[in-house]
Structures are given as C-alpha cells and as structure tokens.
Amino acid sequence: MSNEQLSGRVIQFPGRGRRGQGLPPTTRFKRDAKLAAIPVAYAGRRAKGLGQRMIGKSPAEIDLDIQVRTAEHLVDVLGDLRGCAAKVGQMASVYRTAMPLVPLEFGELAGDALGRLQTSAPPMMPALVHQVLAENLGPGWREEFREFNERPAAAASLGQVHRAVWRDGRAVAVKVMYPGARKAVDSDLRLLRSLSGVIAVFMPGADVAAVIETVCGLVDDELDYHREAAHQQACADAFADDPQYVVPNVVAHTDEVLISDWVEGISVNRLISGGSPHERGRLGLLIFHFLEEAIHRAGVLYSDVHPGNFLVLPDGRLAVVDFGACEDYPQDMRSIVIELGEVVYNGTPAQLEEALRRHGFVRPEQDFDAEELLRIVTPFRDVLIQEDFRMSSEWLREQVDAIAVLRLSNVFRQMTLPPQLTAFARKVGTTIGTLSLLGTDGLGPAFLRWWPEVAESVRRFENSGRVHS
C-alpha cells in the first residue's frame, strides 16, 4: 500500500472510552469526575495542613508537602486524560523553572513529577492499538511490518509510539492516535477552566486562563497528522546528512497513524538533572540553532520547544522527533522583530508605542504605558549584550516575578497578541523556558549571528553609552 493510498483513507473511530483498554476517558461525566477530584483533594490537603500547624509542624514543611502531593495527583489525573489536560501539565513542568513564589526545592520536586507527563502516560491495550491500525492501514496491516512491538516505546499528548520494522527492513516509529482524542480535546477547554486555581499553584505569575486557551489550540493542531507529516518531511529533507541534527523521514501517514524512521537516543528531559553543565549548555545552543535553521532551510516555525521533543544520539547529534506544533513561518515576522529590536535598543518610548500599535500589539483606542514595558523588557534586552551570560532557573524566576507585577499594572491589560503571531510567541516562551532549564550560556552571540540587523541595533546601543542606564 503506497503512502498516497494510506493518506487518502477516511477513518471513523468510536468516541466512548473503556478504561480497561487503556483508552483515555472521553465522556463528559468521566472526565468531569476526574478533574473535579483535583480541587477537592487540594482543599482537603489545605485543611489537614491547618491541623498539622496546630501540633507544631512548620508552615514551610506543610506547604511543601501539600504542593508536591498535588503535583503527583495532577500527574496521575492529567496523564490519564491526556489531550489538552496532559499538555497543560507539560507546560507547567517547563514553567517550573520560573516559579518565583515557591521554595526552590518544591520547584524541583513538583517539576520532576510534572515532567513525567512529557514521557509517560497509561498505555492503550494491544487490542485497541490493533483496531486503530486495522482501520487506518487495512485488515492486513501486519503485512506492512516485518515486526511490531506491542509495548509502547513512548507516549504523546494525543497518542503513543510503538517501535516496529517496516516492510522494507527499516526500523520505524509508529505513532497511533488515541480513539476519541478529538472529542476529548473539544471538552477539555471547559473542564480545565475550572482547574485554573489549582494549576496556578504550579505557574505563579502566569495568566493561567490564557495558557489553557493556548494549549487547547496547540493540541487541536496536533490532531492533524497530515499537517504534521508535511512539516516533518520538509525538515527531514532540509536536514538530510546534517552533521549536527537528525530529523526522521516520514514513511507513511493517515488520519490517525504517523510512521517515521526510528531514532535511538536519550531524552534531553533526562539530561536536565543528570547531564553536566557543559553538556546541558551545548544542548541549549543546539536547540536554539535548530529552531533558526528550520526557519532558514524549510520555512518551518517549530513552536513547542520542550525537552521531551529532543533526543541526544550516541554520536552527539540532536534528533527532533515531534512536529505536531509547527507552522509555516509568517512572512512579515522577521521585519517585525528587526523593527521592534531597533526601537527597544535605540528608540524612545513614543517610537516603541507607535511600532506596537502599527503591528497590532496595542489597539488604536487603547492607552499604553510604553515606559513601563521598556522597564520589563530590559533584562531580556541585556541578554544579547553580555557574551558570557548564562540563562538559569534563578534568572528566569526573577523575570517572571517582574512580569507578575506587570500583570497587575495597566500595561498587561493594554496589550494584545495578534492572532497570526501566536505560534511565534509560543516558540519564544517555550524556548526561553527550556534554555533556562538547561543553563544555556552564549545565547547573545548565537542570536545575533542569525539576526545581523538586530546585531547592528545592539552595536549602536553599546556605542551610545546607554548600556548601563
């Protein structure tokens, strides 16, 4: 069966889940019940904590225990629900590095728990996997493979991956979408809104409602395997035989199955706590350069930059294995970044306001405090000036703390994000989070090599003598 034939099939799946088959619950009642248990349990832990304080247990110890137990509960529930729910947990696990309002040890403990959502979830039973493959590849689907491993090798937000050997002898990764995934995504937005208060415990200072809206949009994009395959193959062609990067070729794809070349490596997520500072820094720069190379070579904007999407191969190359959250690079994006870079470094508040209004970041009738925004962006601006600057969890916590203050000012309410730039903003945010987790240094010179126009703005700023103003 050819790839074109596979891609043309239209498949219908049942929407109701059966927990015994490893299928995520998709009915409103079941998903509501699971999510409703989270705030109830959280309130119970808070009440129990009051009693523990009365018998002399320290407030810090009690709060740490409550927060870590809640993180474990979120992992159990969100991982089981998958879809948007699991993706919110994944984002929270990256965001943990920026928690300015909780003890550092909690950020590490709860973050480790939430981080498991990037690499694990309850598996589908083999019979259900077989059903999906039969409906996508035909009743003789086993003839397409020389071998097929029934045990899943990895989990995704909306599916799971099996290792297999394709009919031509190559090792392949078979990504299978969970039946009922589309129905689950449709219901998640309403359900997750009710959990915003609990999720805020792990994302202090964040606009959790906006995060939930963004995540559901991201997951909805990931339901389109044809779109994902097109972006992945564009990058696979662009990075073929590259000495630093590996992007697996797409072998075949249907509505609910995506088959790619298999790559063997160690998840960058595992190296955050176990790798050496030098290795983590090297990986941070490799990830950054890949994002820019993907734009330059293939016109692909890779926007879901979390450590679970990258593998380190035995020879040191970086493999990129998930292209569900990709967009075509906006044609006017480069000119916008160059213009805003110039006004941030060398312009006046009035010029910054004018540029933001012209590009849709501030509505025409809206008042705007450009001086306050300049104060907030200064630490990020200075990253490009210091050649040896090292990004870190502590640095990012300080910036998120400042942004949390910004949320309480008029500036936050005065600004908006043009819809066409949502994916780019997601790329910037997740890149900063991941590179900070890795302790990346030398980002300034790396960035300016890709953006010579911004480098010229930085040079003129440095020559002006206002660097430390």
Side-chain angles (χ1 to χ4, degrees):
M1 184 179 294
S2 70
N3 187 29
E4 290 76 11
Q5 288 173 314
L6 293 176
S7 302
R9 295 177 67 93
V10 178
I11 308 300
Q12 299 294 323
F13 282 111
R16 299 185 63 183
R18 293 183 297 279
R19 186 66 185 92
Q21 290 184 318
L23 185 63
T26 57
T27 65
R28 175 172 295 185
F29 175 79
K30 289 181 180 179
R31 294 178 73 85
D32 276 358
K34 283 183 171 290
L35 289 171
I38 296 176
V40 171
Y42 177 69
R45 295 185 194 104
R46 299 301 303 180
K48 182 179 179 181
L50 292 175
Q52 291 174 324
R53 291 188 185 189
M54 295 178 66
I55 61 174
K57 202 169 184 180
S58 73
E61 185 180 2
I62 293 169
D63 287 344
L64 178 61
D65 180 68
I66 290 171
Q67 290 166 332
V68 171
R69 288 178 183 273
T70 303
E72 293 285 353
H73 191 185
L74 277 171
V75 169
D76 291 340
V77 174
L78 300 187
D80 189 35
L81 294 180
R82 305 182 178 110
C84 297
K87 185 63 71 173
V88 167
Q90 290 176 5
M91 186 168 288
S93 75
V94 173
Y95 192 90
R96 75 181 189 264
T97 189
M99 286 192 256
L101 305 179
V102 298
L104 179 61
E105 62 267 26
F106 164 65
E108 294 172 348
L109 290 171
D112 288 343
L114 292 168
R116 293 202 303 271
L117 285 167
Q118 295 179 350
T119 55
S120 63
M124 286 188 283
M125 297 296 287
L128 190 58
V129 174
H130 299 170
Q131 174 190 327
V132 176
L133 291 171
E135 295 193 29
N136 277 263
L137 306 182
W141 65 270
R142 284 192 178 276
E143 297 175 5
E144 303 289 343
F145 303 96
R146 294 186 182 181
E147 299 176 15
F148 186 87
N149 193 330
E150 304 285 357
R151 184 187 298 273
S157 302
L158 299 165
Q160 64 188 38
V161 179
H162 292 257
R163 182 168 184 170
V165 178
W166 192 238
R167 58 178 181 254
D168 62 5
R170 76 175 91 175
V172 293
V174 184
K175 186 175 180 180
V176 181
M177 185 184 296
Y178 301 125
R182 291 180 174 87
K183 185 176 180 180
V185 169
D186 289 341
S187 66
D188 271 354
L189 182 57
R190 177 186 57 82
L191 297 173
L192 287 169
R193 281 177 180 145
S194 66
L195 279 181
S196 59
V198 177
I199 294 171
V201 173
F202 308 99
M203 305 181 74
D207 186 342
V208 174
V211 169
I212 291 172
E213 298 277 354
T214 299
V215 165
C216 287
L218 184 154
V219 173
D220 193 51
D221 288 343
E222 293 184 17
L223 289 168
D224 189 343
Y225 278 9
H226 301 297
R227 183 171 174 272
E228 178 177 349
H231 285 127
Q232 179 174 328
Q233 190 57 51
C235 287
D237 293 339
F239 287 90
D241 301 319
D242 190 279
Q244 292 185 301
Y245 301 102
V246 173
V247 177
N249 284 292
V250 176
V251 177
H253 60 95
T254 69
D255 287 348
E256 285 91 9
V257 175
L258 175 59
I259 304 171
S260 308
D261 285 340
W262 179 268
V263 290
E264 189 75 45
I266 299 173
S267 170
V268 170
N269 198 52
R270 289 177 53 189
L271 296 174
I272 288 174
S273 57
S276 69
H278 173 75
E279 176 65 2
R280 293 197 305 268
R282 182 187 78 88
L283 293 174
L285 289 180
L286 271 178
I287 290 171
F288 172 77
H289 283 298
F290 170 79
L291 301 174
E292 297 299 320
E293 290 279 8
I295 293 170
H296 177 73
R297 300 187 193 184
V300 172
L301 177 65
Y302 192 99
S303 64
D304 189 15
V305 188
H306 74 70
N309 284 346
F310 301 93
L311 303 176
V312 182
L313 304 188
D315 61 7
R317 289 181 297 168
L318 187 73
V320 188
V321 296
D322 193 323
F323 287 77
C326 289
E327 303 276 352
D328 293 337
Y329 190 70
Q331 292 184 350
D332 58 347
M333 190 67 252
R334 189 172 184 88
S335 62
I336 293 174
V337 172
I338 292 170
E339 181 179 352
L340 292 180
E342 171 62 20
V343 295
V344 164
Y345 282 100
N346 301 303
T348 65
Q351 289 172 325
L352 175 60
E353 178 178 347
E354 191 277 332
L356 290 173
R357 289 186 185 277
R358 181 155 31 84
H359 292 297
F361 292 94
V362 181
R363 292 181 295 274
E365 72 284 356
Q366 179 66 59
D367 292 335
F368 182 65
D369 187 351
E371 291 185 1
E372 176 69 3
L373 181 62
L374 279 173
R375 181 186 71 80
I376 293 295
V377 302
T378 293
F380 297 96
R381 179 196 70 182
D382 291 349
V383 169
L384 302 187
I385 298 172
Q386 304 174 43
E387 292 188 2
D388 58 350
F389 181 85
R390 180 181 294 274
M391 303 175 73
S392 67
S393 300
E394 293 75 17
W395 170 79
L396 189 55
R397 286 190 185 97
E398 293 176 1
Q399 310 323 313
V400 173
D401 199 8
I403 292 172
V405 174
L406 174 64
R407 291 182 64 243
L408 302 177
S409 73
N410 288 329
V411 174
F412 182 80
R413 294 190 294 272
Q414 290 165 352
M415 295 186 67
T416 186
L417 180 65
Q420 69 273 21
L421 302 183
T422 299
F424 183 82
R426 187 166 67 224
K427 173 209 169 188
V428 171
T430 55
T431 299
I432 291 173
T434 293
L435 267 55
S436 294
L437 280 171
L438 289 167
T440 307
D441 57 3
L443 179 63
F447 180 91
L448 295 178
R449 283 198 296 272
W450 282 102
W451 296 83
E453 301 89 346
V454 178
E456 175 60 22
S457 296
V458 171
R459 185 192 64 78
R460 290 191 290 104
F461 174 74
E462 291 176 315
N463 291 340
S464 72
R466 296 190 295 121
V467 174
H468 300 292
S469 62

